[in-house]
Amino acid sequence: MLFSQKVLRWYAMNKRALPWRATKDPYKIWLSEIILQQTRVVQGTPYYLKFIAHFPTVADLANASEEEVLKLWQGLGYYSRARNLHATAKMVTGEYNGTFPNTYAELKKLKGIGDYTASAIASICYNAPHPVVDGNVYRVLARYFGITLPINGTQGSAYFKQLAHQVMDESRIRDYNQAIMEFGAIQCAPKSPNCPICPLNDGCMALQKDLVEGLPVKLKKSKPKTRYFNYVIPLAKDVEGFPYTVIEKRREKGIWKHLWQFPLIESDSEIDLGILKKKIPEQLHFIDATEIYLYNEKPLVHKLTHQHLHTKFWIAECEEVHGHTVRIGALEPYAMPVLLADFIKTFKI
DNA sequence: AAATCGGGGTA
DNA sequence: TACCCAGATTT
């Protein structure tokens, strides 16, 4: 039996009932695909349900503020997805008369829609013959056909793309694309796949050559860089006696763009109170503290894929503070990185 | 071509 | 720890 037919047969028996599987509405398919980029189904599903509940149509999403979109996205990571999601919703609503384009080429022009996502939407919504190539597909193809080219090199990327095109079932592309991804996620798992029970094991080159654990081959990535963050939390009391602080929006490029944070001093290494007191007038001139103390004895290490953030939280008690002031009890509506959302949860004055 | 962009789950 | 996740974009 053909590879594609084996995959489709496996899918018919094993597919999960996922919230976006019941529809061909391009808005919902698009939303699910953006959420699921580099994100596991179990992590993304609650966000998908939240977004559909808040924004039933693309026009609802377009009419929301970016603040609102980022807040709903909080905790999911890769926040450019949320900013691009909002921009594309506005584009579709404003320039496409509220209707998503129905071709791969037109879809790919939209922000946040690359090769994979354009193929996914075109095939799932319109049954257009574009094979998806995601992390699951790389793994399944590399193993079944015994391909040792690195999947993230230029050569390998092109090779897998043409191979995917070669082995797809064009007549059933809508199901086939979801089938091969589901097969990769459930059966042909990254680690310790249960090959003895796999219905594709008879034709699997990796299994024959004992290469299952070694495939796919991936070029090694760079090591994470260490950064030293000093968050200074100003603390003052307003006229009614409520404690308030100051936050700011991250405008520069880099992580967490357009998310909110406390005033930040980044240093080249870990610093103590003495150094901090010298830096505050230089970098955070709006803070005039009567007392400053360290909130966490050991730096909290927040690990991202490419950065390790050694973070100290300093409390700066002030008579008054200027800037974007917010009561401590009213920080919830602001979209913040998990690092800061976690801090706020534990923070007791 | 390589780096960057999060956070969480798994072995 | 190391690796991966329904990748896209920038450098």
Side-chain angles (χ1 to χ4, degrees), chain A residues 131-161:
Chain A
V132 293
V133 185
D134 75 332
N136 294 304
V137 175
Y138 279 122
R139 185 170 56 255
V140 171
L141 295 180
R143 285 175 176 171
Y144 190 83
F145 295 101
I147 312 301
T148 57
L149 275 173
I151 61 173
N152 51 344
T154 306
Q155 261 199 310
S157 177
Y159 184 86
F160 280 93
K161 197 171 174 179

Side-chain angles (χ1 to χ4, degrees), chain A residues 261-274:
Chain A
Q261 66 175 6
F262 297 105
L264 172 66
I265 291 177
E266 184 170 1
S267 48
D268 295 328
S269 60
E270 194 178 327
I271 60 174
D272 60 22
L273 182 57

Side-chain angles (χ1 to χ4, degrees), chain A residues 139-208:
Chain A
R139 185 170 56 255
V140 171
L141 295 180
R143 285 175 176 171
Y144 190 83
F145 295 101
I147 312 301
T148 57
L149 275 173
I151 61 173
N152 51 344
T154 306
Q155 261 199 310
S157 177
Y159 184 86
F160 280 93
K161 197 171 174 179
Q162 68 82 24
L163 178 59
H165 195 272
Q166 189 181 320
V167 302
M168 69 178 172
D169 183 341
E170 186 174 333
S171 68
R172 302 172 64 189
I173 192 70
R174 172 181 291 130
D175 284 336
Y176 169 79
N177 271 345
Q178 297 177 79
I180 188 171
M181 290 191 285
E182 189 85 332
F183 177 74
I186 307 292
Q187 172 59 41
C188 197
K191 291 184 180 177
S192 311
N194 193 352
C195 298
I197 67 149
C198 179
L200 277 71
N201 61 11
D202 58 329
C204 181
M205 296 304 294
L207 188 57
Q208 288 181 29

Side-chain angles (χ1 to χ4, degrees), chain A residues 286-305:
Chain A
F286 53 92
I287 295 178
D288 181 19
T290 55
E291 190 187 344
I292 304 177
Y293 61 92
L294 181 60
Y295 183 76
N296 54 327
E297 203 49 54
K298 288 180 183 174
L300 183 62
V301 182
H302 188 69
K303 293 184 177 180
L304 308 177
T305 302

Side-chain angles (χ1 to χ4, degrees), chain A residues 213-256:
Chain A
E213 293 292 341
L215 291 179
V217 175
K218 208 167 184 177
L219 266 30
K220 64 172 184 290
K221 49 200 173 211
S222 56
K223 279 177 284 189
K225 292 169 183 171
T226 299
R227 300 174 68 181
Y228 299 89
F229 278 13
N230 295 276
Y231 277 114
V232 181
I233 294 93
L235 217 51
K237 278 192 169 43
D238 62 23
V239 288
E240 297 176 61
F242 288 98
Y244 69 93
T245 187
V246 172
I247 58 176
E248 61 190 24
K249 196 184 246 200
R250 291 182 65 92
R251 298 286 179 184
E252 70 275 25
K253 345 183 125 199
I255 56 170
W256 304 332

Side-chain angles (χ1 to χ4, degrees), chain A residues 85-102:
Chain A
L85 186 81
H86 189 226
T88 289
K90 284 182 171 300
M91 176 68 66
V92 169
T93 302
E95 306 298 323
Y96 288 83
N97 200 20
T99 306
F100 271 85
N102 60 3

